């Protein structure tokens, strides 16, 4: 797990930015490009009925944005995503780019006679995050703006048409990426990951084990991704049984490590990550000699 986190998150600036965010306690200013996101459009007269039987949340209540998931028949997480209701493109599913293709095929395999059109919309929009309030004049007029439904601290998701995004004024971008963006195309992904991990929010592929992780272990219930009153959907039986029996043995928690100067040569080397931990291991980690802490979302 540490090797996988290292490969996805470690970046010359992320530990520094994580340390600064902890000290300042304020979110980065400006638009943060999240280039590792894909978009899928599901549009048609049966879109709500179609998604209602496959996703974990109650799509009938979707008016703006909603966190939801897709599980297999055994109740394990396949994909988590943010769903947006739009007037022109139906429901847009914001998912990790590595999952866009598999989720597209997953949805199409259940289409049958449903009156829906399922298309890959990744090339049509680029996803940005706004972690603080900005004036309406700063947002491109053709952009789609939604609240991140998982946590208020994650601010807003801004879907900017690809043509507009390519010409976006550089002064609107997050200043923390000014020097990093020239060398690392995914600096925005890593900055957003650092802020997300600081708040203990896991995200599919990076933090879930597809087809193995249970949704409640990944805090999807705490983050509002699961409706326990909507009725049947794929994976519903095990998810509901786990919820109502209260037998959640593991949760994803954030932890913070500050290495000592004797072991790292630096007195201020910080690393932020997430891990799946049982209650017993969580308590033992908080009482260890290193400076660490763990808390549930």
């Amino acid at each position: 797990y540490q090797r996988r986190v290292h490969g996805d998150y470690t970046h010359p600036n992320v530990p520094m930015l994580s340390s600064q965010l902890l000290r300042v306690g304020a979110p980065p200013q400006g638009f943060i490009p999240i280039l590792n996101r894909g978009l899928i459009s599901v549009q048609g007269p049966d879109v709500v009925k179609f998604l209602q039987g496959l996703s974990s949340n109650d799509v009938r209540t979707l008016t703006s944005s909603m966190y939801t998931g897709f599980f297999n028949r055994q109740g394990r997480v396949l994909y988590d995503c943010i769903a947006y209701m739009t007037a022109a493109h139906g429901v847009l599913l914001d998912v990790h780019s590595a999952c866009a293709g598999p989720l597209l095929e997953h949805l199409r395999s259940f289409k049958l006679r449903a009156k829906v059109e399922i298309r890959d919309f990744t090339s049509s929009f680029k996803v940005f995050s706004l972690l603080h309030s900005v004036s309406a004049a700063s947002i491109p007029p053709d952009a789609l703006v939604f609240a991140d439904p998982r946590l208020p601290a994650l601010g807003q998701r801004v879907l900017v048409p690809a043509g507009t995004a390519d010409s976006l004024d550089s002064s609107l971008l997050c200043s923390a990426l000014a020097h990093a963006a020239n060398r690392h195309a995914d600096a925005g992904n890593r900055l957003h990951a650092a802020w997300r991990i600081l708040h203990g929010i896991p995200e599919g592929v990076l933090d879930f084990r597809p087809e193995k992780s249970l949704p409640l272990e990944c805090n999807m219930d705490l983050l509002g991704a699961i409706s326990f009153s909507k009725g049947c959907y794929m994976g519903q039986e095990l998810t509901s049984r786990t919820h109502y029996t209260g037998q959640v043995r593991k949760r994803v928690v954030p932890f913070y490590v500050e290495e000592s100067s004797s072991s790292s040569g630096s007195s201020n080397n910080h690393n932020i990550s997430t891990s799946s931990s049982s209650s017993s291991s969580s308590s033992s980690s908080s009482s260890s000699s290193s400076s660490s802490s763990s808390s549930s979302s």
Side-chain angles (χ1 to χ4, degrees):
Y1 179 84
Q2 291 296 337
R3 188 162 57 249
R4 180 157 56 87
V5 169
H6 178 86
D8 285 330
Y9 294 138
T10 299
H11 177 280
N13 296 298
V14 165
M16 174 192 70
L17 291 168
S18 301
S19 176
Q20 291 175 348
L21 294 175
L22 278 174
R23 290 197 303 268
V24 176
Q29 306 290 303
F31 286 80
I32 301 175
I34 314 177
L35 303 180
N36 60 357
R37 305 300 293 179
L39 291 170
I40 294 174
S41 167
V42 186
Q43 190 173 16
D46 295 342
V47 60
V48 172
K49 179 181 178 181
F50 175 71
L51 292 175
Q52 183 76 351
L54 293 175
S55 64
S56 59
N57 216 330
D58 192 345
V59 185
R60 295 171 299 181
T61 65
L62 175 61
T63 57
S64 181
S65 60
M66 170 185 287
Y67 186 43
T68 189
F70 294 88
F71 309 152
N72 64 14
R73 297 184 189 277
Q74 291 72 40
R76 266 58 180 181
V77 180
L78 293 175
Y79 319 102
D80 73 317
C81 64
I82 302 175
Y84 310 113
M85 179 62 77
T86 70
H89 312 295
V91 176
L92 291 179
L93 302 178
D94 177 350
V95 65
H96 192 280
S97 56
C99 299
L103 177 56
L104 188 69
E105 294 304 316
H106 177 76
L107 295 174
R108 285 175 173 171
S109 68
F110 290 96
K111 180 179 180 295
L112 301 178
R113 296 182 179 179
K115 297 178 181 179
V116 293
E117 184 177 0
I118 306 169
R119 294 179 292 167
D120 188 337
F121 245 55
T122 304
S123 60
S124 300
F125 290 92
K126 291 187 178 180
V127 181
F128 291 81
S129 175
L130 267 179
L131 300 178
H132 64 101
S133 300
V134 298
S135 64
S138 301
I139 300 176
D142 52 354
L144 304 176
V145 183
F146 303 92
D148 192 316
R150 295 171 293 181
L151 198 70
L154 294 180
Q156 296 175 312
R157 309 281 278 202
V158 184
L159 310 185
V160 182
T164 304
D166 293 336
S167 58
L168 192 66
D169 189 342
S170 59
S171 64
L172 298 176
L173 296 178
C174 179
S175 58
L177 303 176
H179 63 285
N182 295 327
R183 298 173 305 182
H184 301 278
D186 63 344
N189 303 344
R190 297 179 185 274
L191 174 60
H192 189 267
W195 181 254
R196 175 175 59 77
I197 292 171
L198 282 172
H199 289 82
I201 308 299
E203 199 163 78
V205 177
L206 301 179
D207 305 311
F208 299 171
R209 293 179 297 167
E211 299 188 62
K212 292 186 178 181
S213 295
L214 294 172
L216 272 62
E217 293 177 351
C218 303
N219 298 334
M220 295 185 71
D221 55 334
L222 304 180
L223 296 172
I226 302 174
S227 170
F228 294 102
S229 61
K230 63 172 284 186
C232 294
Y233 60 91
M234 186 174 296
Q236 178 261 348
E237 183 178 356
L238 178 62
T239 303
S240 293
R241 185 166 68 246
T242 304
H243 169 71
Y244 287 114
T245 58
Q247 295 180 353
V248 183
R249 296 184 175 89
K250 293 183 291 183
R251 288 282 189 183
V252 172
V253 298
F255 63 90
Y256 169 73
V257 177
E258 182 174 350
E259 298 180 5
S260 65
S261 57
S262 59
S263 62
S264 64
S266 171
S267 60
N268 199 22
N269 189 5
H270 306 285
N271 187 19
I272 308 297
S273 187
T274 57
S275 177
S276 179
S277 172
S278 65
S279 58
S280 59
S281 62
S282 175
S283 60
S284 64
S285 66
S286 63
S287 60
S288 64
S289 58
S290 62
S291 175
S292 61
S293 64
S294 62
S295 62
S296 68
S297 297

